Amino acid sequence: MNTEIAARIAELKERRHAVILAHNYQLPEVQDIADFSGDSLELSRKATTVDADVIVFCGVHFMAETAAILNPGRIVLIPDPLAGCPMADMITAEELRRKKQEHPNALVVCYVNSTAEVKAECDICCTSGNAIQVVASLPADRDILFVPDRYLGEHVSRLTGREMILWHGYCPTHAQIVPDDIARRRTEHPQAVVLVHPECTGPVRAAADEILSTGGMCRFARESTATEFIIGTETGILHRLQKDNPAKRFYPVKTSAVCPNMKKINLEKVLWALQEMRHEVRVPEPVRERARASIERMLQVKV
Ligand code: 13P
Ligand code: SF4
């Protein structure tokens, strides 16, 4: 880590009365200077309780946007405005409006990996950490339209027994992982427990021992008596897992499972964000108000 840049960030953070939130996929040096690291659900919850004037959000755009939706009174900055999520861009609000017309009885559940405009068209939001509980909370006599991640949708449908109309989005990083990657790693580390993210494809999920959000993986690794784990998600989480569990061993299912957008944020950009107070993420009213309703309904569901 560049200690000089880290020291300047710490100094400016105090002057601006700012907090730094980082997703579990961020570069190690960014996770290390953050006040809080977590998965999408943990970061959404944290964004509602932080005591700060400024939130520097180290993650992809929809995550910073979620923080901005929940915090109209605070300044939310993203260190690189081009850090987007290709899955979130696989459905537009206009496409969703058309799909809703085809299914007028359906309640719409949107994965948090979606734009504010799409969230504004939804009944309730979910993350990979609470999607099962969110879907299970919906009335049995209503159809469910789930957007945009077809793989998370399939997983939730299987576990809740609720048939759902699925959009065809997916994560290009998780879609790279194939069952052979797991088989190879299991041969190398026969004692290891295999944890994969629900954004992985069906055959990959079927080859795993546990299917968990990134926050769920952190909890599972901490509480498990196992000492070796094969991790099927973006490789950035290995830093957090290894740091939290120094006596345990973690192996990526695939070293190339890297999200290029998550890696757009680095220490220099965090420093510039605080120096120049940019790039501010703003969501126009009334989109913000409608998107907030779908996120708040989600936050009321018990996990
Ligand atoms: P988590 O909420 O599990 O951290 O997942 C976010 C994400 O973008 C996964 O690709
Ligand atoms: Fe989006 Fe996939 Fe990157 Fe997560 S890992 S932010 S779903 S592209």
Side-chain angles (χ1 to χ4, degrees):
M1 150 133 48
N2 183 326
T3 48
E4 197 185 319
I5 296 187
R8 284 164 68 197
I9 290 172
E11 190 189 307
L12 265 176
K13 210 175 65 168
E14 209 165 299
R15 200 181 326 147
R16 303 279 194 209
H17 196 221
V19 289
I20 301 177
L21 305 185
H23 186 264
N24 289 326
Y25 295 160
Q26 288 290 291
L27 289 170
E29 57 272 30
V30 174
Q31 294 189 33
D32 289 346
I33 53 110
D35 296 289
F36 182 81
S37 301
D39 68 11
S40 307
L41 180 59
E42 293 162 341
L43 293 170
S44 305
R45 288 197 192 284
K46 197 73 193 172
T48 63
T49 59
V50 287
D51 172 24
D53 298 330
V54 178
I55 298 174
V56 180
F57 206 108
C58 301
V60 290
H61 194 266
F62 76 81
M63 296 178 176
E65 207 175 46
T66 303
I69 290 165
L70 293 169
N71 284 287
R74 294 191 177 103
I75 296 171
V76 176
L77 305 175
I78 186 163
D80 188 329
L82 298 179
C85 168
M87 182 207 286
D89 295 331
M90 287 180 190
I91 185 165
T92 64
E94 185 47 40
E95 286 169 322
L96 179 52
R97 279 191 288 272
R98 279 203 296 271
K99 194 75 182 165
K100 279 164 60 169
Q101 279 170 7
E102 288 171 30
H103 303 280
N105 179 46
L107 288 171
V108 184
V109 181
C110 65
Y111 188 25
V112 70
N113 297 38
S114 53
T115 61
E117 290 76 17
V118 165
K119 288 186 178 78
E121 292 294 329
C122 290
D123 295 294
I124 188 162
C125 188
C126 74
T127 73
S128 60
N130 65 8
I132 291 165
Q133 291 87 347
V134 164
V135 168
S137 76
L138 301 176
D141 61 342
R142 299 290 298 273
D143 294 338
I144 300 172
L145 170 58
F146 188 94
V147 301
D149 186 4
R150 71 173 105 155
Y151 297 125
L152 174 65
E154 273 171 19
H155 169 65
V156 172
S157 176
R158 203 172 65 79
L159 289 192
T160 57
R162 293 291 299 262
E163 238 180 74
M164 302 198 295
I165 305 143
L166 303 178
W167 192 255
H168 43 76
Y170 65 94
C171 164
T173 298
H174 286 84
Q176 277 185 42
I177 301 172
V178 294
D180 271 358
D181 297 323
I182 295 185
R184 202 170 315 116
R185 284 284 190 253
R186 278 202 197 268
T187 316
E188 293 165 4
H189 310 287
Q191 306 301 325
V193 182
V194 178
L195 315 182
V196 305
H197 197 273
E199 286 177 15
C200 291
T201 65
V204 169
R205 294 193 310 273
D209 298 314
E210 301 288 338
I211 302 162
L212 297 163
S213 70
T214 63
M217 288 182 188
C218 293
R219 267 188 303 283
F220 186 92
R222 197 172 52 236
E223 289 163 11
S224 170
T225 52
T227 55
E228 290 188 284
F229 303 86
I230 293 166
I231 303 298
T233 191
E234 211 275 349
T235 58
I237 196 176
L238 274 284
H239 174 71
R240 161 102 191 258
L241 288 169
Q242 201 59 75
K243 193 168 151 184
D244 290 355
N245 305 278
K248 299 183 178 182
R249 285 282 153 264
F250 300 91
Y251 314 105
V253 162
K254 194 167 200 149
T255 50
S256 62
V258 173
C259 174
N261 286 289
M262 283 282 179
K263 272 37 186 187
K264 283 188 175 140
I265 313 272
N266 58 27
L267 281 190
E268 286 80 1
K269 289 180 192 174
V270 174
L271 176 62
W272 298 333
L274 280 163
Q275 275 173 340
E276 294 162 23
M277 291 298 283
R278 63 180 190 151
H279 304 268
E280 188 171 353
V281 178
R282 285 211 190 124
V283 181
E285 303 277 350
V287 170
R288 191 194 68 79
E289 202 38 63
R290 292 172 64 214
R292 189 173 71 101
S294 74
I295 298 168
E296 284 193 343
R297 273 183 220 114
M298 162 183 94
L299 292 174
Q300 277 154 24
V301 173
K302 284 224 164 21
V303 185

